[in-house]
Amino acid sequence: MSATCNDGCSSGEAHLSKTYRKILWICFLANALMFFVQAISSMAASSASLLANSADFLADAVNYGITLFVIAGSDASKRKASTIKGVSLAVTGLWAAFETLHHAVNQKIPEADIMGWVSLVALGVNVLCALLLYKYREGDINMRSVWICSRNDALGNIAVMIAAVGVFATVTVWPDVIVAAILAGLALHGAYQILNQSLRKN
């Protein structure tokens, strides 16, 4: 399955390319918006897990933007783009890990209600993106990379909701810190998967 269309492509392939571009634009705009929403909310709630999840939204927005840029490019350009996406996800994972450690040291209890409501909205956005991208998850290297990021974010939103319940129940910072650490690990694992695929010779 290919998301590109050259002069000899069929009408079905052309429709696929046009449809896939629309889906990428929807996901790009949704993730860019949710990055700002979660970043601001993480500061208001003093939540490391919300901040880690906002980093995932930023990485995904970059991911979708790069994929739109190279969607009709060569395999070599797609592989280079996928490498850049893997590196960007690794950077956000390391940033999330650093902020998790910072919150663990400061021990400021997050606002569980803000965490819960924002993560619920974020989950809806990511489930929508994951559903839109599901049929393209076995496509070329860039299709696979955007699917990996969307899947990880949906799982991350559920984890933040669990952290909010944990903070509310225990009145401690540790559920938030633990989930933030898991999200940082997911980002780093996703980066490894993307980089491994981009460097593998097909």
Side-chain angles (χ1 to χ4, degrees):
M1 182 182 296
S2 173
T4 64
C5 180
N6 297 316
D7 292 338
C9 67
S10 68
S11 59
E13 289 172 321
H15 176 71
L16 171 61
S17 178
K18 186 176 181 180
T19 301
Y20 190 58
R21 283 179 183 273
K22 288 181 179 179
I23 290 173
L24 288 176
W25 272 111
I26 291 171
C27 293
F28 169 74
L29 294 172
N31 277 264
L33 175 62
M34 285 308 302
F35 161 68
F36 288 107
V37 170
Q38 281 207 319
I40 294 171
S41 299
S42 70
M43 291 184 286
S46 299
S47 170
S49 59
L50 271 182
L51 183 62
N53 207 226
S54 75
D56 277 343
F57 273 114
L58 175 60
D60 278 3
V62 172
N63 194 347
Y64 295 126
I66 293 175
T67 300
L68 280 164
F69 184 73
V70 301
I71 193 170
S74 65
D75 288 342
S77 65
K78 290 179 180 180
R79 186 168 287 106
K80 289 178 182 178
S82 188
T83 300
I84 294 172
K85 288 186 282 187
V87 171
S88 70
L89 186 56
V91 170
T92 60
L94 291 173
W95 174 42
F98 173 79
E99 290 296 332
T100 299
L101 180 61
H102 176 72
H103 278 73
V105 171
N106 285 346
Q107 290 284 306
K108 185 175 181 180
I109 299 175
E111 298 289 338
D113 54 342
I114 297 177
M115 292 172 61
W117 284 111
V118 173
S119 59
L120 182 62
V121 173
L123 177 61
V125 171
N126 277 315
V127 167
L128 173 63
C129 290
L131 289 174
L132 289 173
L133 292 164
Y134 183 78
K135 66 183 293 185
Y136 305 103
R137 71 192 186 284
E138 301 295 340
D140 65 26
I141 191 168
N142 282 279
M143 287 178 169
R144 294 196 296 270
S145 69
V146 294
W147 161 249
I148 288 170
C149 289
S150 296
R151 178 202 63 192
N152 283 357
D153 271 1
L155 294 173
N157 297 141
I158 295 172
V160 175
M161 294 175 69
I162 294 173
V165 173
V167 168
F168 179 79
T170 65
V171 197
T172 68
V173 72
W174 293 112
D176 183 55
V177 168
I178 291 170
V179 167
I182 292 172
L183 293 180
L186 272 175
L188 293 173
H189 180 65
Y192 168 78
Q193 287 182 294
I194 293 170
L195 289 172
N196 184 51
Q197 291 175 356
S198 68
L199 297 175
R200 185 189 307 158
K201 291 183 179 180
N202 296 323

